[in-house]
Amino acid sequence: VKQTYDKIHKDRYYVAVSLEEAEHIRGLIHINQTSAKNAGIVPGSDLAIGLRMNGRMLLDVSAGFKPVPPTQQMAAEQCYRFINSDLHFTKADVSVLLRSLHANPPERREVLFNEVRSCRRRVQKDWRETTVAPVLTILDEYHWLEFHAMITSIRPRPQNRKIPLPDSFRPLAYHPAGLLSPRP
């Protein structure tokens, strides 16, 4: 399958490092840049390093570093935010995360998210009330797309018929359990 939208570089790895580790890596990059041989980070290999801050800003690069495709960079950023227990994501972020995490069922994602989050000293707001909820409940980006396609197709219907929004729900009977259901 040829992917034209989701281009990724194979053999590109992302590693979260501490501030102290980043300082050492940056020093290594600068030593290699100033050396006469400029043999690279690991002599005899094509290893290249790009050092980013918070996933977004590229601070420093070694010789041979190639820019990452935007979709791959966005996926890495959103995965790090997810691992960091962020609760607020845009629709585009959720879509990227669902595409990245599709091999893991929602139940496993929820376990990881809650276990990491329980180690934080943050206020433990219920994730079901935030924009991370789809990542922890929806199977993959196709189900997410289907949901938004349905909402998009339903939204203009009452407006096209020139019916006030509350009146468009009148044909539905109130269900005793608090659900809307068609009248018999």
Side-chain angles (χ1 to χ4, degrees):
V1 175
K2 184 177 179 183
Q3 292 181 320
T4 54
Y5 175 72
D6 291 334
K7 290 186 179 181
I8 61 167
H9 286 172
K10 293 194 185 287
D11 298 327
R12 182 180 293 265
Y13 302 95
Y14 293 82
V15 179
V17 296
S18 69
L19 182 58
E20 184 178 1
E21 292 167 331
E23 289 172 353
H24 291 291
I25 292 169
R26 195 164 194 199
L28 185 64
I29 291 171
H30 286 255
I31 288 170
N32 279 304
Q33 287 173 345
T34 58
S35 74
K37 294 178 186 176
N38 199 3
I41 300 294
V42 177
S45 79
D46 60 352
L47 175 71
I49 296 175
L51 195 59
R52 294 184 180 274
M53 184 171 74
N54 294 333
R56 289 190 171 89
M57 191 169 94
L58 193 60
L59 294 176
D60 230 331
V61 297
S62 67
F65 180 81
K66 294 181 181 102
V68 65
T71 53
Q72 186 174 5
Q73 180 58 36
M74 186 175 180
E77 289 173 19
Q78 300 317 316
C79 287
Y80 278 121
R81 287 185 59 214
F82 179 75
I83 292 168
N84 191 41
S85 309
D86 281 9
L87 294 173
H88 303 287
F89 293 88
T90 65
K91 287 180 183 179
D93 297 341
V94 169
S95 189
V96 167
L97 261 175
L98 287 169
R99 187 177 317 120
S100 301
L101 302 174
H102 74 274
N104 302 301
E107 299 79 24
R108 289 187 61 199
R109 291 182 223 151
E110 182 183 348
V111 168
L112 171 75
F113 187 82
N114 286 330
E115 285 180 0
V116 171
R117 198 164 150 239
S118 69
C119 299
R120 308 276 183 201
R121 292 183 183 176
R122 302 177 191 160
V123 175
Q124 298 291 314
K125 187 175 178 183
D126 185 10
W127 59 260
R128 289 170 191 84
E129 299 171 3
T130 67
T131 55
V132 76
V135 178
L136 301 173
T137 56
I138 295 176
L139 187 61
D140 58 26
E141 74 271 22
Y142 299 110
H143 288 85
W144 177 247
L145 179 63
E146 179 184 25
F147 168 75
H148 281 285
M150 200 178 322
I151 295 296
T152 303
S153 71
I154 291 172
R155 187 173 288 145
R157 287 183 186 174
Q159 294 168 348
N160 292 346
R161 293 181 183 170
K162 296 184 173 44
I163 300 171
L165 190 58
D167 291 345
S168 61
F169 289 98
R170 295 205 197 290
L172 300 170
Y174 180 75
H175 190 275
L179 305 172
L180 291 174
S181 61
R183 284 193 176 148

